């Protein structure tokens, strides 16, 4: 009888632990040449400011982080490969406009890359891409996710203040 009670107790506790893990806010890391490095677990955005690394506290609420994770799940983020091809101007998703260039550039200069890593319960994926010849549009599979992340970060007064800081003249 004691063994059965103990087994049931352990099963109950394991079920509670797994549902608690699913209820916790996801951990999101986002690297963007325009914004810097965002880490939801640390609650910080680190970027170059006046040529030096600077960090600010950026709190994105748990509900918004859950909504971002839902966008990731809905768009198949956790099934994407680690490397994506950068969006080319003809690949623009509708949310980014319908303008198509007349001439496609033949050579690209190297540019900083983008990266998103999301840990949500038992699901983890990290996806990266380069800037695509200076066109900062994300690849179609992550376009909605990038919009959600950028929206959450740009809604933060700390991010707005950081981006509008004036550097002293040298």
């Amino acid at each position: 009888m004691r063994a059965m009670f103990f087994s049931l107790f352990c099963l109950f506790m394991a079920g509670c632990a797994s549902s608690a893990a699913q209820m916790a806010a996801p951990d999101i890391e986002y690297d963007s040449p325009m914004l810097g490095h965002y880490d939801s677990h640390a609650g910080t955005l680190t970027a170059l400011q006046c040529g030096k690394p600077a960090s600010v506290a950026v709190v994105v609420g748990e509900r918004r982080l859950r909504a971002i994770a839902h966008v990731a799940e809905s768009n198949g983020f956790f099934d994407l490969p680690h490397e994506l091809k950068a969006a080319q101007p003809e690949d623009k998703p509708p949310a980014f406009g319908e303008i198509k260039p007349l001439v496609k550039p033949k050579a690209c200069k190297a540019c900083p890359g983008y990266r998103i890593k999301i840990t949500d319960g038992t699901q983890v994926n990290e996806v990266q891409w380069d800037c695509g010849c200076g066109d900062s549009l994300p690849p179609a599979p992550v376009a909605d996710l990038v919009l959600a992340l950028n929206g959450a970060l740009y809604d933060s007064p700390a991010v707005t203040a950081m981006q509008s800081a004036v550097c002293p003249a040298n």
Side-chain angles (χ1 to χ4, degrees):
M1 181 71 170
R2 271 189 161 163
M4 187 169 87
F5 174 74
F6 182 73
S7 297
L8 288 173
F9 178 75
C10 289
L11 283 172
F12 173 75
M13 292 307 290
C16 290
S18 66
S19 64
Q22 292 172 353
M23 298 290 289
D27 286 334
I28 300 174
E29 290 182 32
Y30 176 44
D31 293 321
S32 161
M34 296 184 317
L35 282 168
H37 174 77
Y38 169 68
D39 183 341
S40 70
H41 185 73
T44 59
L45 177 71
T46 303
L48 285 180
Q49 188 172 24
C50 301
K52 298 176 184 170
S55 291
V56 294
V58 176
V59 178
V60 176
E62 188 171 327
R63 183 175 287 180
R64 190 122 188 220
L65 289 172
R66 281 252 133 262
I68 292 168
H70 178 72
V71 170
E73 179 71 35
S74 299
N75 287 286
F77 176 81
F78 294 103
D79 298 322
L80 291 174
H82 182 67
E83 299 268 342
L84 291 179
K85 177 183 164 272
Q88 298 302 313
E90 66 272 9
D91 299 334
K92 286 183 182 179
F96 289 96
E98 299 296 332
I99 300 170
K100 293 185 180 183
L102 297 175
V103 179
K104 185 175 179 180
K106 292 185 179 186
C108 298
K109 293 181 180 177
C111 55
Y114 291 80
R115 181 182 72 92
I116 300 172
K117 180 179 180 182
I118 301 177
T119 304
D120 190 14
T122 60
Q123 299 185 96
V124 178
N125 197 16
E126 180 175 342
V127 175
Q128 60 187 18
W129 64 97
D130 68 23
C131 71
C133 298
D135 187 350
S136 61
L137 297 177
V142 293
D144 290 340
L145 180 56
V146 169
L147 281 172
L149 283 163
N150 284 346
L153 294 173
Y154 280 114
D155 282 350
S156 168
V159 173
T160 306
M162 182 181 229
Q163 291 203 323
S164 62
V166 178
C167 297
N170 289 333

